[in-house]
Amino acid sequence: MTRLLQPVTAGVVTGIVGFASSFTVVLAGLRAVGADERQAASGLLALCLANGVVAIWLGLRRRMPITIAWSTPGAALLAATGAVQGGFPAAVGAFAVCGLLVVAAGLFPVLGRWIAAIPAPIAGAMLAGVLLGLCVAPVRALAEIPAMAVPVVLTWALLSRFARMWAVPGALLVAVAAIALTGPGLGAVDVRPVVVPTVPSFGVQAMVSIALPLFLVTMASQNVPGMAVLAGYGYRPRLGGILVGTGLATVAGAPLGGHAVNLAAITAALAAGPDADPDPGRRWIASVTAGGSMIVLGLGSGLATALVLLSPPVLIEAVAGLALLGALASAVTAAVADPERREAAVATFVVTASGFTLFGVGAAFWGLVAGGAMTLLHGRRKGRAESGESTGDTGDSGDSEESAEGAGGAGEGSGAGEPGAHGSAGDPGESGLPGKKAGASRGETRLAQR
């Protein structure tokens, strides 16, 4: 029994941190695309149940710590996109289509290679543009409701220095206390979990504004880093089966309001690392426990939604923004890492962050279009310049060296170059966490190979 205590405790912590650090983002996203309070609570419950069932199934079947989460960047995308033609039923239809696309990516590896082919600066810039609106909410809250926002932000800042894992949950607890002290109380609010089915509808605008960007964000910002985390700790499950499982769970949860289920990226390290259990062969117990914890926490979705409804909207957005600051920092870093694609990344970021809508299609899609167009334009211009230099240069050896360097750069940028440079597959402890180059590179390489 004592041997179970450590992985079970780690699993409970994983579930609590995963839920408390981002459920406000989920509720904000669902409300933005047209869900009422009961539909939003139902969506949160559906996501918790789907996460728990898939995590338990994968952990028991594969004996690996495969942690499942909802798509937090996807929820931020919903908050940035807003209502679409057809209202929440159209958004639900887009959620289901996103799930089908994830299933297709699991069944047909070529789709995964297409996602991996999106330049990292463009994907990072799109995600940064999506996150920016929520990440400035803490500043707005400090200006609009300083008495409630200052304690929340200070708590987050102090805990991020001394107990980083608990920074957002701690800020959330302070926000709950502020709501309890200043709000009308929960006496008249029904806090029981609710299930509200929504009949989906399917429209072109919702498909382009929600389904496609949600699929891209979920794959690039959740599933790829999630595989990198697992690879960093020596676990290499087959991605195809995970995508099929999470995609089917997304399709099943969509009619109840859930937007997307995927591999965990941040909280995955809590269950896959040595703190979960010194024995790597027993860490799956932590991910299974995390799945069970998410199911239990889902039963409190009605209470969580009630707290959000009783608070000033900007306060909940501020907590969500604090939860996303780390993701914004990573996205900005990825966006500007490659000098040759920096202008294209900035164009993607500006268009996405603008909230620009054309033909009813949201800014995330047009940000990708702008970034892709700039990439093609600058790539063609660079190609012509190199061609001119090659024509005027009579030295063949210099051209050959330049071509070799260009090929090497392209390989590194795609994540597929130098496959043996980061150690062998038998060195799980050498890679580290996904923020380190080795783990991320190997994860992206395997996705591209599939």
Side-chain angles (χ1 to χ4, degrees), residues 385-395 399:
E386 291 177 350
S387 176
E389 292 175 3
S390 176
T391 302
D393 191 352
T394 58
D399 293 341

Side-chain angles (χ1 to χ4, degrees), residues 35-437:
D36 60 29
E37 58 269 22
R38 288 176 56 82
Q39 289 170 327
S42 176
L44 183 60
L45 173 60
L47 289 170
C48 290
L49 295 177
N51 290 351
V53 169
V54 175
I56 292 172
W57 178 69
L58 289 174
L60 292 176
R61 182 178 180 182
R62 303 199 179 186
R63 290 298 196 269
M64 294 184 186
I66 303 172
T67 307
I68 304 299
W70 52 59
S71 177
T72 301
L77 170 71
L78 301 181
T81 301
V84 294
Q85 184 178 359
F88 191 59
V92 168
F95 301 162
V97 171
C98 172
L100 292 175
L101 289 174
V102 174
V103 172
L107 296 176
F108 305 101
V110 66
L111 291 179
R113 289 194 291 269
W114 289 350
I115 300 300
I118 297 176
I122 303 302
M126 183 192 73
L127 180 58
V130 165
L131 298 177
L132 182 64
L134 280 175
C135 287
V136 300
V139 181
R140 292 192 293 110
L142 290 172
E144 297 177 16
I145 47 172
M148 301 178 74
V150 168
V152 171
V153 175
L154 285 179
T155 300
W156 171 84
L158 291 173
L159 288 177
S160 66
R161 169 63 179 84
F162 297 105
R164 189 173 186 85
M165 183 176 65
W166 297 103
V168 175
L172 177 63
L173 287 177
V174 174
V176 170
I179 295 168
L181 291 174
T182 60
L186 297 174
V189 178
D190 185 2
V191 298
R192 294 175 298 178
V194 295
V195 176
V196 182
T198 299
V199 178
S201 64
F202 302 92
V204 175
Q205 181 191 0
M207 296 303 108
V208 178
S209 295
I210 295 180
L212 182 58
L214 180 59
F215 167 67
L216 295 176
V217 165
T218 298
M219 290 292 293
S221 302
Q222 291 280 168
N223 288 325
V224 172
M227 287 296 291
V229 172
L230 291 174
Y233 287 107
Y235 302 100
R236 293 173 178 83
R238 291 184 61 84
L239 178 61
I242 295 175
L243 293 180
V244 171
T246 55
L248 291 176
T250 298
V251 174
L256 300 181
H259 67 289
V261 176
N262 44 246
L263 277 172
I266 299 174
T267 55
L270 299 177
D275 290 339
D277 197 291
D279 181 2
R282 290 171 45 82
R283 295 174 192 168
W284 62 270
I285 299 173
S287 66
V288 170
T289 305
S293 300
M294 286 298 291
I295 293 175
V296 174
L297 290 168
L299 299 178
S301 59
L303 175 61
T305 306
L307 289 172
V308 170
L309 293 175
L310 292 174
S311 69
V314 71
L315 181 64
I316 295 303
E317 291 178 6
V319 176
L322 294 174
L324 292 170
L325 282 178
L328 176 63
S330 298
V332 171
T333 300
V336 300
D338 185 353
E340 294 184 358
R341 292 192 171 114
R342 193 166 291 164
E343 291 183 359
V346 170
T348 303
F349 170 76
V350 170
V351 173
T352 304
S354 70
F356 168 74
T357 300
L358 181 64
F359 305 123
V361 178
F365 175 81
W366 295 117
L368 282 177
V369 171
M374 288 288 288
T375 299
L376 292 175
L377 176 63
H378 283 261
R380 181 173 298 180
R381 185 177 66 183
K382 180 181 177 182
R384 288 176 177 174
E386 291 177 350
S387 176
E389 292 175 3
S390 176
T391 302
D393 191 352
T394 58
D396 294 336
S397 60
D399 293 341
S400 299
E401 292 175 2
E402 183 177 351
S403 300
E405 291 174 1
E412 292 172 7
S414 65
E418 302 180 12
H422 304 301
S424 66
D427 298 329
E430 298 294 326
S431 304
L433 294 175
K436 297 184 180 180
K437 186 175 180 181

